[in-house]
C-alpha cells in the first residue's frame, strides 16, 4: 500500500504531534508514525509522570509538616502503589486528549516503526517512509512532500553501568518502580538527577548525589547552584561534587557498592539502588538516515534555523537535533518547521528567550544569560537579587527559601537574564520570558504592578534591586 501526504512526521512525541496539529491547521495532509504511544517520552516517561511523582512527594512532605500550620494529625503513611496509580491516571487522561487532537485534525496515525528510504520507484529523492506496523501487517509506504524527524532521545548511561532494572536504572525504569528503595545513589547532578534526588528525599529515601563537575546544576547561574546545594543538603541529601565515578568498581549484591575518585582519593558509596542520570542521546539510529544526505554532529542531526536538514524537504526537531532538550522547545521548533515548509515566514527561535525549569522542591527556573555567561560575552553587568524571606505570600505558604536574581546590561539597562530558586518559580518564569521577548528593562518590569500578596512580588523587588531601589529589603 502506498499513500501520498504533504507531511509525514516520524515520532508522535510532544514536538511531533504539535507539529502535526499545526500542519493540519495549515491545510496539509498529515500523518504521524509512532512505534509507542502518542505523547512520547514527555507524556509517558518524562515530564508528566515525573511531575506527578514530585507532586505526591511534595504533598507527603507537607502532610508531615502540617503541625506547623496548626493542623494536628497522625503520622502519614505513604502508599506508593496509589502514587503510581495516580500518575498513570494523569498520563491516560492526557493520552486520550492527544488521540482526540489527531481525530479533530484528521491526522492519520500509523502505529509502527518508520524508516526513511532512499530514492526509489516511489520517489526520485529520499524521503519515502516505510512503516513496520506493530500488528505485523504488510509495510505501508508513505510518500510525503516533506518529512519531519521527531524521534526524540533516550537516557544515556556510562560504560560499565549497564541497566538491569533490579539495581541499576535510568529515569525510564525509575518511573515504573513498584516500591521505593531505602537508599539510592544518583550518578549525575544535572536537571533530572536533582529532580529525582529532591523527590526521593521527600519520600523519605536516603539519597547520595555524585556529580563529576565542581557543582550541581552546572548550566545554571553559580548563585543558583550554590543555593540549591545548600537546600538539597538541608533535605538530608548527600551532595558530592568533583566525583569521578569508577564503573569498573561496581558491585551488585543485596544493593550496590561503587567507588568514585575525589580529590585524588577513592571513596566508596553504598545503597539499595543506583540511578544513572548523565543526559540523553538523540535517537538517530535505524531510522534510515544512511539513505539520505542528512548530516549529524556529535550524534545529533544538523539543521538550519528553520530546522531543514541537508535534504531540504526533510526537517528535524526536538531532542534528535540536540540543543536544549525541552518539550516546549521541541513544540516551538515543530511549529516553525511546519510553517516554513508551508510557505509561511516564521521567526526563528532565539534560544536566549527560552525558559528552562527544574521541578525539584524548591523549584528552579531561568531565562537568558547567567551572570557568568554575560561577562564572558563582554557585557558589563549589574544585578539585582531579592529573597523570598521578605515576601508575605512565601511566609504564608511556609516556603521562604530561595531568591530571584536579575542580570542586566549596565550600559543600556537591557534585561540579560533572570534566575529563580523558590516556591512555584516554574509558574513565574513566563513573566521574565515575556520581558526578554519585549527586550524590556528592569525598570519596566518593576513598573508592572505585582499584586499583593503574591509570590510574583519577588520579581518586582528583584527588578528594583538592580538599581538598589528595592522597597522591602
Amino acid at each position: 500500500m502506498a499513500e501520498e501526504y504533504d507531511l509525514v512526521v516520524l515520532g508522535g512525541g510532544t514536538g511531533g504531534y504539535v507539529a502535526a496539529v499545526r500542519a493540519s491547521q495549515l491545510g496539509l495532509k498529515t500523518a504521524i508514525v509512532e512505534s509507542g504511544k502518542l505523547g512520547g517520552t514527555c507524556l509517558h516517561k518524562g515530564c508528566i509522570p515525573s511531575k506527578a511523582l514530585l507532586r505526591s512527594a511534595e504533598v507527603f512532605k507537607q502532610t508531615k509538616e502540617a503541625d506547623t500550620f496548626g493542623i494536628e494529625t497522625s503520622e502519614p503513611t505513604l502508599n506508593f502503589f496509589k502514587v503510581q496509580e495516580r500518575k498513570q491516571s494523569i498520563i491516560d487522561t492526557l493520552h486520550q486528549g492527544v488521540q482526540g487532537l489527531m481525530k479533530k485534525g484528521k491526522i492519520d496515525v500509523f502505529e509502527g516503526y518508520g524508516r526513511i528510504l532512499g530514492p526509489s520507484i516511489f520517489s526520485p529523492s529520499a524521503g519515502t517512509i516505510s512503516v513496520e506496523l506493530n500488528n505485523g501487517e504488510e509495510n505501508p509506504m508513505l510518500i510525503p512532500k516533506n518529512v519531519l524527524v521527531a524521534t526524540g532521545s533516550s537516557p544515556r548511561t556510562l560504560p560499565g553501568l549497564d541497566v538491569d532494572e533490579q539495581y541499576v536504572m535510568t529515569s525510564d525504569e525509575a518511573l515504573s518502580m513498584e516500591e521505593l528503595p531505602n537508599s539510592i545513589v544518583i550518578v549525575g547532578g544535572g536537571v533530572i538527577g536533582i529532580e529525582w534526588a529532591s523527590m526521593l528525599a521527600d519520600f523519605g529515601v536516603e539519597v547520595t548525589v555524585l556529580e563529576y563537575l565542581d557543582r550541581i546544576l552546572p548550566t545554571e547561574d553559580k548563585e543558583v547552584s550554590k543555593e540549591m546545594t545548600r537546600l538539597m543538603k538541608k533535605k538530608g541529601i548527600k551532595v558530592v561534587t568533583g566525583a569521578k565515578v569508577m564503573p569498573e568498581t561496581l558491585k551488585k549484591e543485596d544493593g550496590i557498592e561503587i567507588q568514585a575518585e575525589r580529590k585524588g582519593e577513592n571513596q566508596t558509596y553504598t545503597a539499595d539502588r543506583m540511578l544513572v542520570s548523565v543526559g540523553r542521546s538523540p535517537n538517530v539510529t535505524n531510522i534510515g538516515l544512511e539513505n539520505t544526505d542528512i548530516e549529524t554532529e556529535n550524534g545529533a542531526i544538523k539543521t538550519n534555523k528553520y530546522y531543514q536538514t541537508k535534504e531540504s524537504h526533510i526537517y528535524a526537531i526536538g531532542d534528535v537535533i540536540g540543543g536544549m532538550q525541552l518539550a516546549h522547545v521541541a513544540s516551538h521548533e515543530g511549529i516553525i518547521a511546519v510553517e516554513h515548509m508551508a510557505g509561511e515566514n516564521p521567526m526563528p527561535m532565539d534560544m536566549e528567550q527560552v525558559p528552562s525549569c527544574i521541578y525539584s522542591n524548591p523549584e528552579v527556573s531561568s531565562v537568558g544569560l547567567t551572570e557568568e555567561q554575560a561577562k564572558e560575552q563582554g557585557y558589563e553587568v549589574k544585578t539585582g537579587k531579592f529573597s523570598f524571606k521578605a515576601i508575605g505570600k512565601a511566609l504564608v505558604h511556609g516556603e521562604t527559601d530561595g531568591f530571584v536574581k536579575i542580570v542586566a546590561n549596565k550600559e543600556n539597562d537591557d534585561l540579560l537574564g533572570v534566575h529563580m530558586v523558590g516556591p512555584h518559580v516554574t509558574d513565574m518564569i513566563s513573566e521574565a520570558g515575556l520581558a526578554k521577548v519585549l527586550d524590556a528593562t528592569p525598570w519596566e518590569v518593576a513598573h508592572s504592578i505585582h499584586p499583593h500578596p503574591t509570590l510574583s512580588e519577588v520579581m518586582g523587588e528583584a527588578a528594583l534591586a538592580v538599581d538598589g531601589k528595592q522597597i522591602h529589603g
Side-chain angles (χ1 to χ4, degrees):
M1 179 185 80
E3 190 161 356
E4 295 184 353
Y5 287 93
D6 294 315
L7 170 64
V8 171
V9 181
L10 272 186
T14 307
Y17 86 71
V18 168
V21 170
R22 183 64 184 125
S24 172
Q25 292 173 345
L26 291 168
L28 303 182
K29 183 182 179 184
T30 304
I32 284 181
V33 181
E34 172 55 55
S35 61
K37 292 183 177 180
L38 288 172
T41 294
C42 179
L43 177 52
H44 299 281
K45 293 183 178 181
C47 320
I48 298 302
S50 63
K51 278 50 182 182
L53 296 183
L54 278 158
R55 175 58 178 157
S56 290
E58 180 185 23
V59 171
F60 185 57
K61 179 176 180 289
Q62 287 177 337
T63 305
K64 290 192 291 185
E65 298 169 352
D67 185 62
T68 63
F69 292 86
I71 300 168
E72 297 179 354
T73 183
S74 58
E75 186 70 17
T77 302
L78 178 67
N79 185 330
F80 196 65
F81 178 79
K82 284 189 176 180
V83 169
Q84 290 285 31
E85 271 192 335
R86 179 179 183 271
K87 177 204 76 177
Q88 192 59 48
S89 175
I90 293 168
I91 293 170
D92 293 343
T93 299
L94 292 172
H95 183 226
Q96 289 171 9
V98 177
Q99 290 174 313
L101 290 174
M102 299 302 101
K103 291 178 182 177
K104 179 182 177 182
K106 296 180 172 58
I107 299 162
D108 293 337
V109 178
F110 290 84
E111 297 179 355
Y113 197 96
R115 295 177 179 84
I116 303 171
L117 302 181
S120 64
I121 59 172
F122 299 105
S123 173
S125 59
T128 296
I129 306 297
S130 173
V131 183
E132 183 181 340
L133 294 172
N134 292 343
N135 62 14
E137 293 181 2
E138 182 181 351
N139 289 21
M141 296 293 173
L142 312 184
I143 309 170
K145 294 177 183 176
N146 293 285
V147 175
L148 180 64
V149 180
T151 48
S153 63
S154 301
R156 187 182 297 135
T157 186
L158 296 175
L161 298 184
D162 300 322
V163 173
D164 60 19
E165 298 190 25
Q166 182 179 1
Y167 293 116
V168 181
M169 55 187 175
T170 67
S171 57
D172 280 4
E173 294 76 33
L175 286 167
S176 300
M177 286 189 293
E178 294 182 358
E179 60 182 25
L180 291 170
N182 291 317
S183 58
I184 193 166
V185 167
I186 299 178
V187 179
V191 173
I192 297 174
I194 292 304
E195 284 189 354
W196 276 98
S198 174
M199 175 212 303
L200 292 171
D202 285 349
F203 275 139
V205 177
E206 183 183 319
V207 179
T208 300
V209 176
L210 303 180
E211 168 56 44
Y212 176 72
L213 297 177
D214 62 355
R215 61 187 177 109
I216 61 170
L217 302 178
T219 60
E220 298 295 329
D221 189 274
K222 283 186 177 179
E223 287 193 76
V224 170
S225 293
K226 183 179 179 181
E227 177 73 349
M228 283 299 290
T229 299
R230 181 182 75 83
L231 295 175
M232 292 301 100
K233 289 180 178 179
K234 183 178 175 181
K235 281 181 182 288
I237 297 169
K238 185 175 183 179
V239 178
V240 185
T241 56
K244 182 181 179 181
V245 171
M246 304 163 66
E248 68 276 10
T249 66
L250 176 64
K251 297 177 182 177
K252 295 184 283 188
E253 185 178 352
D254 294 328
I256 66 98
E257 177 185 300
I258 195 161
Q259 293 182 14
E261 181 187 339
R262 186 170 186 266
K263 296 180 179 180
E265 296 182 0
N266 292 351
Q267 299 178 359
T268 301
Y269 302 92
T270 60
D272 290 342
R273 303 188 76 171
M274 174 185 289
L275 173 65
V276 182
S277 177
V278 291
R280 298 181 65 88
S281 299
N283 292 330
V284 295
T285 58
N286 201 27
I287 59 173
L289 296 188
E290 66 277 6
N291 300 322
T292 73
D293 291 329
I294 293 174
E295 296 177 344
T296 61
E297 185 175 20
N298 297 323
I301 295 175
K302 290 178 65 175
T303 69
N304 64 16
K305 62 185 178 180
Y306 297 111
Y307 308 106
Q308 286 175 295
T309 67
K310 195 172 181 182
E311 300 260 14
S312 61
H313 63 294
I314 302 179
Y315 293 67
I317 62 159
D319 287 9
V320 77
I321 67 171
M324 296 179 76
Q325 295 180 321
L326 303 169
H328 47 284
V329 170
S331 296
H332 201 71
E333 289 172 345
I335 291 170
I336 292 171
V338 166
E339 290 182 349
H340 185 262
M341 67 180 71
E344 303 281 320
N345 188 29
M347 182 180 294
M349 185 157 45
D350 181 350
M351 301 312 289
E352 286 187 14
Q353 296 175 359
V354 176
S356 64
C357 299
I358 303 170
Y359 298 86
S360 51
N361 183 8
E363 296 180 338
V364 177
S365 62
S366 62
V367 64
L369 301 177
T370 66
E371 181 177 355
E372 300 77 41
Q373 289 170 336
K375 289 177 178 177
E376 287 169 3
Q377 292 186 22
Y379 290 106
E380 188 176 356
V381 304
K382 56 182 180 178
T383 63
K385 184 177 170 184
F386 201 82
S387 171
F388 277 100
K389 285 181 171 60
I391 300 299
K393 190 67 176 290
L395 287 161
V396 168
H397 276 275
E399 299 174 289
T400 58
D401 285 320
F403 57 81
V404 168
K405 176 181 177 179
I406 292 180
V407 183
N409 185 343
K410 194 172 184 178
E411 182 180 346
N412 60 11
D413 274 353
D414 279 352
L415 189 70
L416 298 176
V418 178
H419 308 275
M420 303 181 175
V421 181
H424 304 284
V425 296
T426 62
D427 299 313
M428 293 166 51
I429 194 63
S430 293
E431 178 186 359
L434 179 60
K436 281 289 293 176
V437 169
L438 298 177
D439 198 21
T441 65
W443 184 92
E444 290 167 318
V445 172
H447 283 75
S448 171
I449 297 174
H450 296 80
H452 176 77
T454 62
L455 294 173
S456 68
E457 290 177 273
V458 72
M459 183 72 176
E461 290 279 14
L464 287 170
V466 171
D467 293 311
K469 296 178 181 179
Q470 66 272 23
I471 300 299
H472 293 94

